[in-house]
Amino acid sequence: MKTVSGVVQYILNMGPSVMLPIMIFIIALIFSVKPAKAIRSALTIGIGMVGINLVIGLLTSNIGPAAKAMVKRFGFHLTIIDVGWPSAAAGAWGQPISSILIPVLLVTNIILIMLKVTKTLDIDIWNYWHMVAAGSVAFIVTQNWWFSILSAIIYMIFCLVIADWTAKDVQEFYGLEGISFPTGSSDAFGLLGIPISAAIAKIPGIKNLHADSETIQKRFGIFGEPMVMGIIIGAAIGALGGYDIAGILKLGINMGAVMMLMPRMVKLLMEGLMPISESAREVLQKRYGKDREIYLGMDAALSTGAPATLATGLLLVPITLFIAVILPGNRVLPFGDLATIPFYVSLIVARRRGNIIHSVLAGAVVITLALFMATDFSPVHTEMLRGVVKFPAGSAQVSSLDMGGNFLNWILLKFSELVKGFI
């Protein structure tokens, strides 16, 4: 067990920029891609992922301080701090059950593909932390290893099924051929948000409101271009944070840079993925017939290549803080996960075909529900992170939108609490 744990931790410590190319290279060889081409694809994907992470870092490092400034300026007082997905991931990996879950989940995914339960091969090993977190929560509540493993597997099955369900949206709207998103947070928000957005799209007066990035650009000219949209939204967030003119302009330019650079990074990563996706399709169709296909499960971060997704996520940052303050019963102060809201709404935006108005409205409803769940989740969330991460000053309890406000996690938490009485 100690050896397995050491190997798993060593692999995880390499980070997604190294893990992903290794996985891609192995999968490319399995699907008969020539070694030279497999190496080139794997390296291109690794470099693309580095670029995406750099742009996400730019987004996070700017939105985080802006959100903090808004909290301070408006005097928001909530007792549970959203510590963000990095802390939640660290807490998940820090549990004793985590070491054996990675190989178990990999084998489970392969078996489910062989049984035709899913078409998604989840190669985004780093984001297995969502499944590990579900297993860790079950272990904390029940102290039962077998139930913990079962919970992680159930969570994976949900993610794979949702990834299959939304694959056509991902491929058609984002232009990611052969790709699906089995990312836990995106799937959970999408599971709630897609039907909610469909209902919103039927409301008289709202159903005819359509504002995707292309329509905005046509109507407003240069002011509707993604780069300028990013600058305007970033400047507005800076103004809400009480920044001076220089700070507002700097935040605006940085958000414009995010809107401009992210699509280019995603395009680079897709250059590496395409040969493998095509080869996988050919091999499967030769062996199992023309109807057999496979989706490569990737990080929902790829969705941020679409201006509508980034715009929706950025608009929801101040909206989320406002909802948190006025929502009766909520005790969570959103902070650590504000910069990753674009990931959460990725499937909603894809289903609404980039309609920013419908996506923002649906996102606001889902975030409202997520705040209730995150508040309820806080005792177990706090227990999972205790001794693993340093709590913010003055905070007795912590939670997060990504894990605590995640519908799939919350359902499994309630299931664990129910099962506890029978184990």
Side-chain angles (χ1 to χ4, degrees), residues 34-61:
K34 292 181 179 179
K37 194 173 184 179
I39 291 173
R40 188 178 296 109
S41 291
L43 292 177
T44 301
I45 290 166
I47 292 167
M49 185 57 72
V50 169
I52 288 172
N53 285 333
L54 286 172
V55 181
I56 290 173
L58 178 64
L59 175 67
T60 305
S61 62

PDB file of all heavy atoms in Angstrom, residues 34-61:
ATOM      1  N   LYS A  34       1.794   6.137 -35.355  1.00  0.00           N
ATOM      2  CA  LYS A  34       3.232   5.901 -35.466  1.00  0.00           C
ATOM      3  C   LYS A  34       3.974   6.636 -34.351  1.00  0.00           C
ATOM      4  O   LYS A  34       3.587   7.750 -33.982  1.00  0.00           O
ATOM      5  CB  LYS A  34       3.733   6.361 -36.823  1.00  0.00           C
ATOM      6  CG  LYS A  34       3.203   5.506 -37.983  1.00  0.00           C
ATOM      7  CD  LYS A  34       3.748   5.992 -39.322  1.00  0.00           C
ATOM      8  CE  LYS A  34       3.221   5.109 -40.460  1.00  0.00           C
ATOM      9  NZ  LYS A  34       3.712   5.558 -41.786  1.00  0.00           N
ATOM     10  N   PRO A  35       5.045   6.017 -33.786  1.00  0.00           N
ATOM     11  CA  PRO A  35       5.736   6.606 -32.628  1.00  0.00           C
ATOM     12  C   PRO A  35       6.142   8.063 -32.812  1.00  0.00           C
ATOM     13  O   PRO A  35       5.950   8.883 -31.905  1.00  0.00           O
ATOM     14  CB  PRO A  35       6.965   5.698 -32.470  1.00  0.00           C
ATOM     15  CG  PRO A  35       6.517   4.378 -33.003  1.00  0.00           C
ATOM     16  CD  PRO A  35       5.599   4.696 -34.138  1.00  0.00           C
ATOM     17  N   ALA A  36       6.709   8.409 -33.975  1.00  0.00           N
ATOM     18  CA  ALA A  36       7.143   9.791 -34.197  1.00  0.00           C
ATOM     19  C   ALA A  36       5.961  10.751 -34.134  1.00  0.00           C
ATOM     20  O   ALA A  36       6.035  11.827 -33.519  1.00  0.00           O
ATOM     21  CB  ALA A  36       7.850   9.904 -35.552  1.00  0.00           C
ATOM     22  N   LYS A  37       4.858  10.356 -34.755  1.00  0.00           N
ATOM     23  CA  LYS A  37       3.654  11.186 -34.758  1.00  0.00           C
ATOM     24  C   LYS A  37       3.048  11.260 -33.356  1.00  0.00           C
ATOM     25  O   LYS A  37       2.535  12.307 -32.932  1.00  0.00           O
ATOM     26  CB  LYS A  37       2.642  10.609 -35.749  1.00  0.00           C
ATOM     27  CG  LYS A  37       1.502  11.549 -36.105  1.00  0.00           C
ATOM     28  CD  LYS A  37       0.647  10.944 -37.219  1.00  0.00           C
ATOM     29  CE  LYS A  37      -0.443  11.918 -37.658  1.00  0.00           C
ATOM     30  NZ  LYS A  37      -1.265  11.347 -38.752  1.00  0.00           N
ATOM     31  N   ALA A  38       3.131  10.139 -32.624  1.00  0.00           N
ATOM     32  CA  ALA A  38       2.600  10.090 -31.258  1.00  0.00           C
ATOM     33  C   ALA A  38       3.384  11.033 -30.343  1.00  0.00           C
ATOM     34  O   ALA A  38       2.812  11.752 -29.523  1.00  0.00           O
ATOM     35  CB  ALA A  38       2.651   8.669 -30.720  1.00  0.00           C
ATOM     36  N   ILE A  39       4.714  11.037 -30.503  1.00  0.00           N
ATOM     37  CA  ILE A  39       5.570  11.919 -29.694  1.00  0.00           C
ATOM     38  C   ILE A  39       5.244  13.379 -30.006  1.00  0.00           C
ATOM     39  O   ILE A  39       5.108  14.212 -29.102  1.00  0.00           O
ATOM     40  CB  ILE A  39       7.061  11.624 -29.958  1.00  0.00           C
ATOM     41  CG1 ILE A  39       7.433  10.247 -29.387  1.00  0.00           C
ATOM     42  CG2 ILE A  39       7.938  12.710 -29.337  1.00  0.00           C
ATOM     43  CD1 ILE A  39       8.832   9.795 -29.743  1.00  0.00           C
ATOM     44  N   ARG A  40       5.123  13.691 -31.298  1.00  0.00           N
ATOM     45  CA  ARG A  40       4.833  15.072 -31.706  1.00  0.00           C
ATOM     46  C   ARG A  40       3.474  15.527 -31.145  1.00  0.00           C
ATOM     47  O   ARG A  40       3.342  16.639 -30.619  1.00  0.00           O
ATOM     48  CB  ARG A  40       4.838  15.174 -33.226  1.00  0.00           C
ATOM     49  CG  ARG A  40       4.728  16.623 -33.744  1.00  0.00           C
ATOM     50  CD  ARG A  40       4.785  16.695 -35.265  1.00  0.00           C
ATOM     51  NE  ARG A  40       6.072  16.241 -35.778  1.00  0.00           N
ATOM     52  CZ  ARG A  40       6.266  15.105 -36.435  1.00  0.00           C
ATOM     53  NH1 ARG A  40       5.240  14.280 -36.650  1.00  0.00           N
ATOM     54  NH2 ARG A  40       7.446  14.759 -36.876  1.00  0.00           N
ATOM     55  N   SER A  41       2.471  14.659 -31.238  1.00  0.00           N
ATOM     56  CA  SER A  41       1.155  15.007 -30.712  1.00  0.00           C
ATOM     57  C   SER A  41       1.192  15.204 -29.206  1.00  0.00           C
ATOM     58  O   SER A  41       0.632  16.175 -28.671  1.00  0.00           O
ATOM     59  CB  SER A  41       0.145  13.899 -31.055  1.00  0.00           C
ATOM     60  OG  SER A  41      -0.127  13.867 -32.434  1.00  0.00           O
ATOM     61  N   ALA A  42       1.864  14.281 -28.501  1.00  0.00           N
ATOM     62  CA  ALA A  42       1.934  14.360 -27.040  1.00  0.00           C
ATOM     63  C   ALA A  42       2.629  15.636 -26.585  1.00  0.00           C
ATOM     64  O   ALA A  42       2.179  16.315 -25.654  1.00  0.00           O
ATOM     65  CB  ALA A  42       2.661  13.132 -26.487  1.00  0.00           C
ATOM     66  N   LEU A  43       3.726  15.988 -27.242  1.00  0.00           N
ATOM     67  CA  LEU A  43       4.465  17.199 -26.866  1.00  0.00           C
ATOM     68  C   LEU A  43       3.664  18.456 -27.188  1.00  0.00           C
ATOM     69  O   LEU A  43       3.665  19.421 -26.406  1.00  0.00           O
ATOM     70  CB  LEU A  43       5.820  17.237 -27.588  1.00  0.00           C
ATOM     71  CG  LEU A  43       6.828  16.166 -27.158  1.00  0.00           C
ATOM     72  CD1 LEU A  43       8.103  16.263 -27.993  1.00  0.00           C
ATOM     73  CD2 LEU A  43       7.172  16.312 -25.673  1.00  0.00           C
ATOM     74  N   THR A  44       2.980  18.449 -28.314  1.00  0.00           N
ATOM     75  CA  THR A  44       2.150  19.601 -28.679  1.00  0.00           C
ATOM     76  C   THR A  44       1.043  19.807 -27.649  1.00  0.00           C
ATOM     77  O   THR A  44       0.760  20.944 -27.240  1.00  0.00           O
ATOM     78  CB  THR A  44       1.513  19.394 -30.073  1.00  0.00           C
ATOM     79  OG1 THR A  44       2.554  19.220 -31.033  1.00  0.00           O
ATOM     80  CG2 THR A  44       0.663  20.603 -30.476  1.00  0.00           C
ATOM     81  N   ILE A  45       0.437  18.705 -27.216  1.00  0.00           N
ATOM     82  CA  ILE A  45      -0.616  18.786 -26.204  1.00  0.00           C
ATOM     83  C   ILE A  45      -0.059  19.295 -24.874  1.00  0.00           C
ATOM     84  O   ILE A  45      -0.669  20.132 -24.202  1.00  0.00           O
ATOM     85  CB  ILE A  45      -1.290  17.411 -26.027  1.00  0.00           C
ATOM     86  CG1 ILE A  45      -2.118  17.086 -27.280  1.00  0.00           C
ATOM     87  CG2 ILE A  45      -2.162  17.368 -24.776  1.00  0.00           C
ATOM     88  CD1 ILE A  45      -2.542  15.643 -27.382  1.00  0.00           C
ATOM     89  N   GLY A  46       1.123  18.794 -24.498  1.00  0.00           N
ATOM     90  CA  GLY A  46       1.757  19.246 -23.259  1.00  0.00           C
ATOM     91  C   GLY A  46       2.037  20.734 -23.281  1.00  0.00           C
ATOM     92  O   GLY A  46       1.769  21.457 -22.308  1.00  0.00           O
ATOM     93  N   ILE A  47       2.563  21.216 -24.407  1.00  0.00           N
ATOM     94  CA  ILE A  47       2.864  22.644 -24.536  1.00  0.00           C
ATOM     95  C   ILE A  47       1.576  23.464 -24.546  1.00  0.00           C
ATOM     96  O   ILE A  47       1.494  24.540 -23.942  1.00  0.00           O
ATOM     97  CB  ILE A  47       3.696  22.896 -25.814  1.00  0.00           C
ATOM     98  CG1 ILE A  47       5.087  22.269 -25.645  1.00  0.00           C
ATOM     99  CG2 ILE A  47       3.815  24.389 -26.117  1.00  0.00           C
ATOM    100  CD1 ILE A  47       5.886  22.180 -26.927  1.00  0.00           C
ATOM    101  N   GLY A  48       0.543  22.941 -25.238  1.00  0.00           N
ATOM    102  CA  GLY A  48      -0.749  23.624 -25.234  1.00  0.00           C
ATOM    103  C   GLY A  48      -1.322  23.730 -23.832  1.00  0.00           C
ATOM    104  O   GLY A  48      -1.876  24.763 -23.444  1.00  0.00           O
ATOM    105  N   MET A  49      -1.162  22.650 -23.040  1.00  0.00           N
ATOM    106  CA  MET A  49      -1.662  22.667 -21.668  1.00  0.00           C
ATOM    107  C   MET A  49      -0.892  23.675 -20.807  1.00  0.00           C
ATOM    108  O   MET A  49      -1.484  24.354 -19.956  1.00  0.00           O
ATOM    109  CB  MET A  49      -1.562  21.263 -21.059  1.00  0.00           C
ATOM    110  CG  MET A  49      -2.180  21.151 -19.660  1.00  0.00           C
ATOM    111  SD  MET A  49      -3.927  21.645 -19.605  1.00  0.00           S
ATOM    112  CE  MET A  49      -4.691  20.273 -20.458  1.00  0.00           C
ATOM    113  N   VAL A  50       0.426  23.781 -21.044  1.00  0.00           N
ATOM    114  CA  VAL A  50       1.216  24.794 -20.339  1.00  0.00           C
ATOM    115  C   VAL A  50       0.668  26.183 -20.654  1.00  0.00           C
ATOM    116  O   VAL A  50       0.491  27.031 -19.762  1.00  0.00           O
ATOM    117  CB  VAL A  50       2.708  24.705 -20.733  1.00  0.00           C
ATOM    118  CG1 VAL A  50       3.473  25.920 -20.202  1.00  0.00           C
ATOM    119  CG2 VAL A  50       3.326  23.424 -20.180  1.00  0.00           C
ATOM    120  N   GLY A  51       0.385  26.422 -21.951  1.00  0.00           N
ATOM    121  CA  GLY A  51      -0.155  27.714 -22.356  1.00  0.00           C
ATOM    122  C   GLY A  51      -1.501  28.001 -21.712  1.00  0.00           C
ATOM    123  O   GLY A  51      -1.746  29.120 -21.231  1.00  0.00           O
ATOM    124  N   ILE A  52      -2.376  26.990 -21.693  1.00  0.00           N
ATOM    125  CA  ILE A  52      -3.695  27.159 -21.073  1.00  0.00           C
ATOM    126  C   ILE A  52      -3.561  27.474 -19.591  1.00  0.00           C
ATOM    127  O   ILE A  52      -4.225  28.373 -19.056  1.00  0.00           O
ATOM    128  CB  ILE A  52      -4.551  25.892 -21.282  1.00  0.00           C
ATOM    129  CG1 ILE A  52      -4.984  25.796 -22.751  1.00  0.00           C
ATOM    130  CG2 ILE A  52      -5.792  25.903 -20.372  1.00  0.00           C
ATOM    131  CD1 ILE A  52      -5.669  24.496 -23.105  1.00  0.00           C
ATOM    132  N   ASN A  53      -2.657  26.764 -18.912  1.00  0.00           N
ATOM    133  CA  ASN A  53      -2.461  26.993 -17.479  1.00  0.00           C
ATOM    134  C   ASN A  53      -1.884  28.377 -17.200  1.00  0.00           C
ATOM    135  O   ASN A  53      -2.193  29.000 -16.175  1.00  0.00           O
ATOM    136  CB  ASN A  53      -1.552  25.914 -16.888  1.00  0.00           C
ATOM    137  CG  ASN A  53      -2.273  24.580 -16.731  1.00  0.00           C
ATOM    138  OD1 ASN A  53      -3.489  24.545 -16.583  1.00  0.00           O
ATOM    139  ND2 ASN A  53      -1.538  23.490 -16.791  1.00  0.00           N
ATOM    140  N   LEU A  54      -1.027  28.867 -18.109  1.00  0.00           N
ATOM    141  CA  LEU A  54      -0.490  30.221 -17.951  1.00  0.00           C
ATOM    142  C   LEU A  54      -1.599  31.263 -18.047  1.00  0.00           C
ATOM    143  O   LEU A  54      -1.653  32.215 -17.259  1.00  0.00           O
ATOM    144  CB  LEU A  54       0.582  30.497 -19.014  1.00  0.00           C
ATOM    145  CG  LEU A  54       1.936  29.806 -18.821  1.00  0.00           C
ATOM    146  CD1 LEU A  54       2.819  30.028 -20.043  1.00  0.00           C
ATOM    147  CD2 LEU A  54       2.629  30.337 -17.566  1.00  0.00           C
ATOM    148  N   VAL A  55      -2.505  31.067 -19.012  1.00  0.00           N
ATOM    149  CA  VAL A  55      -3.609  32.018 -19.178  1.00  0.00           C
ATOM    150  C   VAL A  55      -4.581  31.913 -18.004  1.00  0.00           C
ATOM    151  O   VAL A  55      -5.083  32.926 -17.503  1.00  0.00           O
ATOM    152  CB  VAL A  55      -4.338  31.786 -20.517  1.00  0.00           C
ATOM    153  CG1 VAL A  55      -5.469  32.797 -20.679  1.00  0.00           C
ATOM    154  CG2 VAL A  55      -3.373  31.926 -21.688  1.00  0.00           C
ATOM    155  N   ILE A  56      -4.851  30.680 -17.541  1.00  0.00           N
ATOM    156  CA  ILE A  56      -5.704  30.507 -16.365  1.00  0.00           C
ATOM    157  C   ILE A  56      -5.062  31.170 -15.148  1.00  0.00           C
ATOM    158  O   ILE A  56      -5.742  31.781 -14.325  1.00  0.00           O
ATOM    159  CB  ILE A  56      -5.967  29.009 -16.100  1.00  0.00           C
ATOM    160  CG1 ILE A  56      -6.879  28.430 -17.188  1.00  0.00           C
ATOM    161  CG2 ILE A  56      -6.606  28.798 -14.726  1.00  0.00           C
ATOM    162  CD1 ILE A  56      -7.063  26.928 -17.106  1.00  0.00           C
ATOM    163  N   GLY A  57      -3.736  31.047 -15.040  1.00  0.00           N
ATOM    164  CA  GLY A  57      -3.018  31.711 -13.959  1.00  0.00           C
ATOM    165  C   GLY A  57      -3.195  33.219 -14.012  1.00  0.00           C
ATOM    166  O   GLY A  57      -3.356  33.881 -12.976  1.00  0.00           O
ATOM    167  N   LEU A  58      -3.167  33.779 -15.223  1.00  0.00           N
ATOM    168  CA  LEU A  58      -3.398  35.217 -15.400  1.00  0.00           C
ATOM    169  C   LEU A  58      -4.808  35.584 -14.951  1.00  0.00           C
ATOM    170  O   LEU A  58      -5.011  36.595 -14.264  1.00  0.00           O
ATOM    171  CB  LEU A  58      -3.190  35.588 -16.875  1.00  0.00           C
ATOM    172  CG  LEU A  58      -3.434  37.045 -17.274  1.00  0.00           C
ATOM    173  CD1 LEU A  58      -2.446  37.963 -16.574  1.00  0.00           C
ATOM    174  CD2 LEU A  58      -3.327  37.201 -18.793  1.00  0.00           C
ATOM    175  N   LEU A  59      -5.777  34.749 -15.313  1.00  0.00           N
ATOM    176  CA  LEU A  59      -7.163  34.974 -14.908  1.00  0.00           C
ATOM    177  C   LEU A  59      -7.307  34.920 -13.393  1.00  0.00           C
ATOM    178  O   LEU A  59      -7.866  35.830 -12.761  1.00  0.00           O
ATOM    179  CB  LEU A  59      -8.054  33.921 -15.570  1.00  0.00           C
ATOM    180  CG  LEU A  59      -9.533  33.899 -15.176  1.00  0.00           C
ATOM    181  CD1 LEU A  59     -10.235  35.156 -15.650  1.00  0.00           C
ATOM    182  CD2 LEU A  59     -10.218  32.664 -15.754  1.00  0.00           C
ATOM    183  N   THR A  60      -6.765  33.865 -12.796  1.00  0.00           N
ATOM    184  CA  THR A  60      -6.895  33.655 -11.348  1.00  0.00           C
ATOM    185  C   THR A  60      -6.200  34.744 -10.541  1.00  0.00           C
ATOM    186  O   THR A  60      -6.750  35.259  -9.558  1.00  0.00           O
ATOM    187  CB  THR A  60      -6.331  32.275 -10.966  1.00  0.00           C
ATOM    188  OG1 THR A  60      -6.985  31.271 -11.742  1.00  0.00           O
ATOM    189  CG2 THR A  60      -6.530  31.988  -9.493  1.00  0.00           C
ATOM    190  N   SER A  61      -4.980  35.094 -10.948  1.00  0.00           N
ATOM    191  CA  SER A  61      -4.198  36.071 -10.187  1.00  0.00           C
ATOM    192  C   SER A  61      -4.792  37.468 -10.256  1.00  0.00           C
ATOM    193  O   SER A  61      -4.480  38.322  -9.420  1.00  0.00           O
ATOM    194  CB  SER A  61      -2.750  36.104 -10.701  1.00  0.00           C
ATOM    195  OG  SER A  61      -2.705  36.506 -12.057  1.00  0.00           O
TER     196      SER A  61
END
